[in-house]
Amino acid sequence: MDEAEATIRRAAPADAGHVAHLLHDFNTEFGEPTPGVLALAEHAAGMLERGEMAVLLAGEGPDGISLIRFRTSVWTGQAEAHLQELYVVPPLRGRGIGRALLEATLELAREAGATGIDLNTGETDTAARALYESCGFSNREGSPKGPAMLFYEREL
């Protein structure tokens, strides 16, 4: 499958099981904790039902996922988007599915009126970083020559 062949569709609450499996596999692959497929399916179904997230699925399997969340900016009063997850099943990487998902995600954000989109990824995930940079994302504030932006997090 190449990018031109990647079928992208928006997930509905009935797709929560597919969403859960992909998210679980993603975290498992990268050694991150996961509450398990059943809990993820329950969370995903509710969040999709309430419109708290938008999910795009690629392929028939489905073979990949993009999960986007929106919030309102205090600076503009308009939507901002956060790409929370982008994942393609390992055997299908390098075929343009990730790029197709990312481009569809950008279009979805534009349609929602978002004025910007952000994401975070690991420093060692060079394939993801290359994809994001090839689509115009930067980890430099203001311009490519600006200071590096850092992502901080903490459990509560």
Side-chain angles (χ1 to χ4, degrees):
M1 172 184 296
D2 64 24
E3 182 179 343
E5 298 172 350
T7 302
I8 309 295
R9 67 179 178 86
R10 190 158 177 177
D15 293 306
H18 292 305
V19 171
H21 277 282
L22 287 164
L23 293 175
H24 175 78
D25 291 350
F26 183 20
N27 275 23
T28 300
E29 178 181 343
F30 291 98
E32 295 292 327
T34 173
V37 173
L38 292 177
L40 283 167
E42 183 179 325
H43 300 164
M47 293 176 75
L48 287 165
E49 180 94 15
R50 293 186 299 272
E52 294 176 7
M53 68 178 180
V55 175
L56 298 175
L57 298 172
E60 297 300 317
D63 306 318
I65 186 171
S66 170
L67 190 156
I68 188 169
R69 312 260 332 255
F70 295 97
R71 62 191 179 264
T72 304
S73 168
V74 68
W75 304 109
T76 66
Q78 294 180 285
E80 294 177 327
H82 174 67
L83 176 57
Q84 191 164 355
E85 306 294 352
L86 181 72
Y87 177 73
V88 174
V89 297
L92 299 177
R93 292 182 185 153
R95 299 182 184 188
I97 298 169
R99 179 172 301 278
L101 276 167
L102 183 56
E103 290 177 357
T105 300
L106 296 175
E107 184 58 31
L108 177 62
R110 284 185 201 101
E111 289 171 3
T115 58
I117 185 169
D118 60 45
L119 60 88
N120 58 283
T121 190
E123 183 177 19
T124 59
D125 194 346
T126 56
R129 291 176 59 202
L131 172 62
Y132 299 139
E133 290 170 12
S134 75
C135 288
F137 285 83
S138 173
N139 66 351
R140 298 286 175 179
E141 189 169 3
S143 74
K145 296 180 181 182
M149 293 185 290
L150 303 173
F151 172 78
Y152 289 85
E153 68 179 345
R154 151 180 191 177
E155 290 186 25
L156 298 176

